[in-house]
Amino acid sequence: MPRTRKLFSIRIAIDMSSSDPGSTGFSAFDPATGEALDADFPIATWAVLDELAGNAAAAFEVGAEADTVAAFLEAYADRIDANAASLAAVAARETGLPEEGRLKNGEIPRTSGQLRQAAAAVRDGAWARPTISDGNIRSILEPLGPTVVIGPNNFPFAFNGVCGGDFAAAIGAGCPVIAKGHPHHPATCRDLAALMKEAAKAVGLLDGWVSFFYDCTPEDGLKLVRDPRIAAVAFTGSQRAGLSIKAACDETGTVGHFELGSVNPLFILPGALEERAEEIVDELTTSALLGGGQFCTQPGIVVLPAGEATTKFASQLQEKFDAAPTPPLLSEAVVTGLEEGTKTLRKAGANVLPSAPSPDEPGYRYPNTVLAVPGERFLEDPNAFQTECFGPASLLVTRTDAEQRLAIARTLHGQLTATIYSDTHGADDAEYGPLAAILRRRCGRLLNDKMPTGVAVVPAMNHGGPYPASGHPHFTAVGIPASMTRFTRLACYDNVRNDRLPAALRD
Amino acid sequence: MPRTRKLFSIRIAIDMSSSDPGSTGFSAFDPATGEALDADFPIATWAVLDELAGNAAAAFEVGAEADTVAAFLEAYADRIDANAASLAAVAARETGLPEEGRLKNGEIPRTSGQLRQAAAAVRDGAWARPTISDGNIRSILEPLGPTVVIGPNNFPFAFNGVCGGDFAAAIGAGCPVIAKGHPHHPATCRDLAALMKEAAKAVGLLDGWVSFFYDCTPEDGLKLVRDPRIAAVAFTGSQRAGLSIKAACDETGTVGHFELGSVNPLFILPGALEERAEEIVDELTTSALLGGGQFCTQPGIVVLPAGEATTKFASQLQEKFDAAPTPPLLSEAVVTGLEEGTKTLRKAGANVLPSAPSPDEPGYRYPNTVLAVPGERFLEDPNAFQTECFGPASLLVTRTDAEQRLAIARTLHGQLTATIYSDTHGADDAEYGPLAAILRRRCGRLLNDKMPTGVAVVPAMNHGGPYPASGHPHFTAVGIPASMTRFTRLACYDNVRNDRLPAALRD
């Protein structure tokens, strides 16, 4: 995940007028040109955040009926679908992502679908695991309370704090949400927040149950996280920002859920390389460069066996990378992050395979980059080689043998995904077992013969993984209803009179 | 929960011979006399802990079959039952707890029952929530890996690191366990560890899957928690020790589960007091003084309405407390903790109701103590008045009206339990709802008309609660299978070939 704080310090210096008299304002940038967009947006003062927290806590004390919550999710989904074209146009301008295929017909239906799946889970109720035991002891998952949701820059809809997966999960669990916008796509957030408010009003959701602010200073953000009125935080983004929020949560006992990035190691076993190298080159190129490579599950490390086939694979991959377009990236910070990340890899001993020169188109660009390092060198400094290069860059770890592949697997940090390509005739079977036994414990999702990008919103999905890929390996950020349980506490009722029990626990 | 580290510094100075040449040894004390018991026990060096971690990690990489794990749990339970009499005798001497009623016929059958419940869950398998979605995406809860279990002093069996609830849950989840003994009952731990090893051998559980050490220095303990071979930690005990371990877990991303104590507020509403004051005095005396009051769920704060009935209630309670025996407490640290805790309460403005003088029997004793403070004073310093006095002491918060009771409820920290006594004719009904709405969000278990001590091992139990009662409000330490899920990560298999899937996820 890219870092956003560097730009932030520039932006905060622009003292623009805004609706909030105490704040300074900021503008977003057009990734295709690098130029500031014309609208300006306020940075919330503490007074604003304080009011949002107070309203959310007051609303939560009153509570909301499950039916109202479900109706809100559906009403919001309907409004997002109805406004898909204009939302996609605004988001495309702010993110540089393709308006039709990616945003209007990809992310937006996925986003409204997530909201509707959460609504269905709320109406069904089984997700909360109502349990009745002998002795009139009963338990159920109940909402934690006001939740701050902070989304990343790379999914202006599906992971947006104001409408994405964490928003749907927290609302579905029964929590009020205070959504933070992303400074790289404020107009998108503004339009979504307006639809959110409209939907809330239409179904009669309590004032303060859903609220939104564009941005705040890091200090005020941490103050909000530590505030006793805030019960939970969900964060997707850079490891640097995420870990500072996690530290604040750890200190106060606030429940925090963090998705912090991953290099998504992919192991290609010898039989698979022999059987279908060209096919895999194609699949890898598509997956690694999709959306400018700006996915949490982009395959950033590819482990290949020693031999001629790998040399050919690397050269074919490099050709494909060079021939592929270099779309505008989400922000200057993504470009800076790639420069820093690839520098770290090179300093540790990786070579950049010969590639086309830096794109001379305007805007935030970076060449599609293949790096390579022999397995024995990787093992000398495995931490450095796991530096995330968020964007269109992948590191090939070459010249490995079976023993080295196991050794590399053992050095891996917690990952969202790990992937093994093996042949279809059994040549790789002996190696698969021991390698998978190591990898599956270091990742949230283990794949066979399939690239890790593309996270289906199905109940069995896990978009999470051992630390530092996420904050806790028991929970998933994608996949309803499991993602909803992240925003719950276990509530037990012992000898409580029947008419005082939550409806789902009554006789 | 009592603090143990103070005594520890005395013990570590006793340089006794032990089986581990690098360690110093320690002895336990007889709570009934305050004198050192004759046996001496080794403090593990880092070399020993390092070996245990290595063995556990190596065993986990090989893995264990569910049938073997279940058979181990059952074989261990059988051995504990078969040795109940001798185990209870040893534990009674080390803890001062009643040998027959409490230990032999209470805790021991509960402990073997927990192990058998975990075995049944393992054999059944549904606890791991196998889920199969479209697109060949499948998920299941899988064990985290080597887990360090650290138990408290107040349950030498049911919460003992080497056989108690956390042990059963972690083993049931499929994790190897490194159990830390408790320095106040090392001989009990020694005898249990011998049975554990015997059971492991009998069923062919891998070497290193279950291991035990008596004690270690705090520094080595934190080093073990931070060790990358350790996947999880379960801790029940003092907040001070627990928070230092939690900080180490937070730093390294190790999954930590903490049960850190609670004052278990109990609200007696006016109607209930009018209807059955004497009955409640009896129930409260029994619950508050049970086992020397040394329960995590001991009712430490009792909120009573203004009026004559409360004055009478307080005086009756004080008489009952004075008349009750003052059994030996678990350790000198419990006595010191009570002295410090009641001093804090008195300093903040609580009065100790007239009571019998300090017991002049030998051993670790403390008078059964009733303190009282008016509601308005409580509200001036609610943090001070929530100081846990672990042992036979309860604070009455008197002269409250309905509005004050809600205000008091809003100041409460996270609790394991909260209790409301209300009348049976509806006089308290108007107040119940708003009060319960606040309390249920601040506790793991809400009770009606029943004292909070006595934690049934049933699936719907929650022995946990919002921070700082526990580390995470989503999880319970008691209640199988829910307690087992604490030691799992969500494992997703995406497009993985059928014969490579865990058995429970195959077609």
Side-chain angles (χ1 to χ4, degrees):
Chain A
M1 286 286 141
R3 281 154 286 277
T4 65
R5 288 301 162 206
K6 190 167 258 178
L7 275 184
F8 189 83
S9 59
I10 303 167
R11 241 182 278 114
I12 204 167
I14 310 168
D15 191 352
M16 305 185 84
S17 67
S18 83
S19 61
D20 178 3
S23 79
T24 53
F26 72 92
S27 293
F29 292 77
D30 181 344
T33 63
E35 281 166 22
L37 294 165
D38 48 3
D40 62 280
F41 300 92
I43 292 169
T45 57
W46 174 251
V48 170
L49 301 183
D50 181 52
E51 195 185 337
L52 299 184
N55 292 346
F60 187 61
E61 197 166 320
V62 178
E65 293 299 321
D67 276 349
T68 311
V69 169
F72 162 71
L73 289 163
E74 290 159 347
Y76 190 13
D78 292 346
R79 279 166 176 79
I80 290 173
D81 284 345
N83 292 278
S86 70
L87 287 168
V90 171
R93 193 163 177 226
E94 290 188 320
T95 62
L97 295 171
E99 187 175 333
E100 281 290 314
R102 162 71 188 268
L103 297 175
K104 188 175 157 218
N105 301 316
E107 254 196 82
I108 289 183
R110 178 197 179 98
T111 303
S112 56
Q114 285 175 163
L115 294 166
R116 289 197 188 93
Q117 280 191 36
V122 171
R123 291 198 194 279
D124 174 73
W127 74 274
R129 301 182 195 135
T131 306
I132 301 183
S133 292
D134 291 345
N136 193 16
I137 298 172
R138 302 164 193 235
S139 68
I140 192 164
L141 297 179
E142 290 189 352
L144 284 170
T147 297
V148 176
V149 181
I150 306 170
N153 64 354
N154 61 337
F155 278 94
F157 297 105
F159 284 81
N160 194 317
V162 77
C163 68
D166 284 340
F167 176 91
I171 291 286
C175 299
V177 165
I178 300 170
K180 179 185 167 296
H182 197 286
H184 293 163
H185 44 260
T188 310
C189 294
R190 173 198 62 207
D191 294 354
L192 287 162
L195 299 176
M196 170 183 85
K197 286 285 185 189
E198 202 183 287
K201 203 173 167 190
V203 305
L205 196 64
L206 234 59
D207 262 3
W209 203 276
V210 289
S211 59
F212 166 76
F213 64 99
Y214 286 97
D215 204 356
C216 64
T217 65
E219 294 69 33
D220 282 345
L222 294 177
K223 191 173 173 183
L224 183 64
V225 165
R226 286 197 196 94
D227 191 287
R229 293 166 296 184
I230 300 303
V233 178
F235 172 92
T236 308
S238 76
Q239 204 169 83
R240 197 186 305 176
L243 290 182
S244 78
I245 297 174
K246 180 175 179 296
C249 286
D250 290 341
E251 189 191 304
T252 49
T254 307
V255 172
H257 291 289
F258 300 92
E259 203 237 281
L260 300 171
S262 175
V263 295
N264 305 295
L266 190 151
F267 289 73
I268 302 175
L269 299 187
L273 194 67
E274 193 175 335
E275 185 181 67
R276 52 187 206 279
E278 283 193 36
E279 223 174 279
I280 301 173
V281 166
D282 284 345
E283 287 177 41
L284 178 56
T285 305
T286 304
S287 177
L289 302 185
L290 194 70
Q294 300 165 115
F295 285 96
C296 319
T297 55
Q298 193 258 12
I301 290 184
V302 182
V303 183
L304 294 149
E308 259 315 297
T310 282
T311 311
K312 195 174 159 196
F313 182 97
S315 117
Q316 286 181 334
L317 188 71
Q318 182 231 317
E319 278 169 33
K320 296 255 181 195
F321 267 50
D322 286 350
T326 53
L329 302 176
L330 291 160
S331 70
E332 197 176 341
V334 172
V335 177
T336 314
L338 280 161
E339 282 163 359
E340 285 171 6
T342 53
K343 194 171 156 191
T344 302
L345 297 181
R346 280 187 284 116
K347 216 171 142 191
N351 293 313
V352 177
L353 297 192
S355 72
S358 268
D360 58 1
E361 298 143 289
Y364 308 136
R365 314 267 172 175
Y366 194 82
N368 301 321
T369 303
V370 181
L371 300 102
V373 66
E376 62 268 25
R377 183 78 199 87
F378 181 98
L379 285 170
E380 285 166 23
D381 197 355
N383 293 336
F385 287 109
Q386 289 178 69
T387 301
E388 186 177 2
C389 297
F390 184 79
S394 294
L395 172 69
L396 307 183
V397 184
T398 61
R399 302 209 311 241
T400 64
D401 59 28
E403 198 183 313
Q404 255 184 358
R405 287 188 284 275
L406 297 179
I408 289 167
R410 283 197 191 91
T411 69
L412 291 171
H413 308 159
Q415 304 289 339
L416 295 172
T417 72
T419 304
I420 306 176
Y421 273 69
S422 56
D423 84 317
T424 55
H425 302 102
D428 293 324
D429 282 6
E431 191 178 342
Y432 180 89
L435 181 61
I438 299 168
L439 288 178
R440 71 199 181 102
R441 287 169 178 160
R442 279 173 175 72
C443 73
R445 181 164 53 113
L446 180 74
L447 298 101
N448 277 187
D449 314 309
K450 182 187 173 186
M451 289 293 156
T453 47
V455 179
V457 187
V458 294
M461 177 49 63
N462 182 13
H463 190 61
Y467 184 86
S470 86
H472 202 301
H474 182 79
F475 296 105
T476 176
V478 174
I480 292 166
S483 65
M484 288 163 56
T485 65
R486 289 177 300 158
F487 302 100
T488 62
R489 57 187 171 77
L490 180 60
C492 175
Y493 296 88
D494 190 344
N495 200 41
V496 169
R497 302 182 196 174
N498 194 57
D499 60 325
R500 294 170 172 179
L501 287 167
L505 291 181
R506 288 188 198 143
D507 286 338
Chain B
M1 285 286 142
R3 281 154 287 277
T4 66
R5 288 301 161 204
K6 190 167 256 178
L7 276 183
F8 190 84
S9 60
I10 303 166
R11 242 182 279 113
I12 203 166
I14 310 168
D15 190 352
M16 303 184 86
S17 66
S18 83
S19 60
D20 177 3
S23 79
T24 53
F26 72 93
S27 293
F29 291 76
D30 181 344
T33 64
E35 281 166 23
L37 294 165
D38 50 4
D40 63 279
F41 300 92
I43 293 169
T45 57
W46 174 250
V48 170
L49 301 183
D50 181 52
E51 195 186 335
L52 299 184
N55 292 345
F60 188 60
E61 197 168 320
V62 178
E65 294 297 321
D67 275 350
T68 311
V69 168
F72 162 70
L73 289 163
E74 290 159 347
Y76 190 13
D78 292 346
R79 279 164 177 80
I80 289 173
D81 284 345
N83 292 277
S86 71
L87 287 168
V90 171
R93 196 165 173 221
E94 290 187 322
T95 63
L97 295 171
E99 186 175 332
E100 282 290 313
R102 161 71 188 267
L103 297 175
K104 189 176 157 217
N105 301 317
E107 255 195 82
I108 289 183
R110 177 196 180 98
T111 303
S112 56
Q114 285 175 163
L115 294 166
R116 288 197 187 93
Q117 281 191 35
V122 171
R123 291 197 194 280
D124 173 73
W127 74 275
R129 302 181 195 136
T131 307
I132 301 184
S133 291
D134 292 344
N136 193 16
I137 298 172
R138 301 164 193 236
S139 69
I140 192 163
L141 297 178
E142 290 190 351
L144 283 169
T147 297
V148 176
V149 182
I150 306 169
N153 63 355
N154 62 337
F155 277 94
F157 297 105
F159 284 80
N160 194 317
V162 77
C163 68
D166 284 339
F167 177 91
I171 291 286
C175 299
V177 165
I178 300 170
K180 179 184 168 296
H182 196 285
H184 293 163
H185 44 260
T188 309
C189 294
R190 172 198 62 206
D191 294 354
L192 287 163
L195 299 176
M196 170 183 84
K197 286 284 184 189
E198 203 183 284
K201 204 174 167 189
V203 304
L205 195 64
L206 234 59
D207 262 3
W209 203 276
V210 289
S211 59
F212 166 76
F213 64 98
Y214 287 98
D215 203 356
C216 63
T217 65
E219 293 70 33
D220 282 344
L222 294 178
K223 191 173 173 183
L224 183 64
V225 165
R226 286 197 196 95
D227 191 286
R229 293 166 295 185
I230 299 304
V233 178
F235 173 91
T236 308
S238 77
Q239 205 170 83
R240 197 185 308 177
L243 290 182
S244 78
I245 297 174
K246 181 176 179 296
C249 286
D250 290 340
E251 188 191 305
T252 49
T254 307
V255 172
H257 291 288
F258 301 92
E259 203 236 281
L260 300 171
S262 176
V263 295
N264 305 296
L266 190 151
F267 289 73
I268 302 175
L269 299 187
L273 194 67
E274 193 175 335
E275 185 181 66
R276 53 188 207 278
E278 284 194 34
E279 225 174 276
I280 301 173
V281 166
D282 283 345
E283 287 177 43
L284 179 57
T285 304
T286 305
S287 177
L289 302 184
L290 193 70
Q294 300 165 116
F295 285 96
C296 319
T297 55
Q298 193 257 13
I301 289 184
V302 183
V303 183
L304 294 148
E308 259 316 294
T310 283
T311 311
K312 195 174 159 195
F313 182 98
S315 116
Q316 285 181 334
L317 188 72
Q318 182 231 316
E319 277 170 33
K320 296 256 180 192
F321 267 50
D322 286 350
T326 52
L329 302 177
L330 291 160
S331 71
E332 196 176 343
V334 173
V335 176
T336 315
L338 279 161
E339 283 163 359
E340 286 172 5
T342 53
K343 193 172 157 192
T344 302
L345 295 182
R346 278 186 286 117
K347 216 171 142 190
N351 294 313
V352 178
L353 298 191
S355 71
S358 268
D360 59 0
E361 297 142 290
Y364 307 136
R365 314 267 173 175
Y366 194 83
N368 302 321
T369 303
V370 181
L371 299 103
V373 67
E376 63 269 24
R377 183 77 200 89
F378 181 97
L379 285 169
E380 283 166 24
D381 197 355
N383 293 336
F385 286 109
Q386 289 177 70
T387 302
E388 186 177 1
C389 297
F390 184 80
S394 294
L395 172 69
L396 307 183
V397 183
T398 61
R399 302 210 310 241
T400 63
D401 58 29
E403 198 182 316
Q404 254 184 358
R405 287 187 284 276
L406 296 180
I408 290 167
R410 283 197 190 91
T411 69
L412 292 170
H413 307 158
Q415 303 289 339
L416 295 172
T417 73
T419 304
I420 305 176
Y421 273 69
S422 55
D423 84 318
T424 55
H425 302 101
D428 294 324
D429 282 4
E431 191 178 345
Y432 180 89
L435 182 61
I438 299 168
L439 287 179
R440 71 199 180 102
R441 288 170 177 159
R442 280 173 173 73
C443 74
R445 180 164 53 112
L446 180 73
L447 298 101
N448 276 187
D449 313 309
K450 182 187 172 186
M451 289 293 157
T453 46
V455 179
V457 187
V458 294
M461 177 48 65
N462 182 14
H463 190 61
Y467 184 87
S470 86
H472 202 303
H474 182 80
F475 297 105
T476 175
V478 174
I480 292 167
S483 65
M484 289 163 55
T485 66
R486 290 177 300 158
F487 302 100
T488 62
R489 56 186 173 77
L490 180 60
C492 176
Y493 297 87
D494 190 343
N495 200 40
V496 169
R497 303 182 195 174
N498 194 58
D499 61 325
R500 293 170 172 179
L501 287 167
L505 291 181
R506 289 189 198 141
D507 287 338

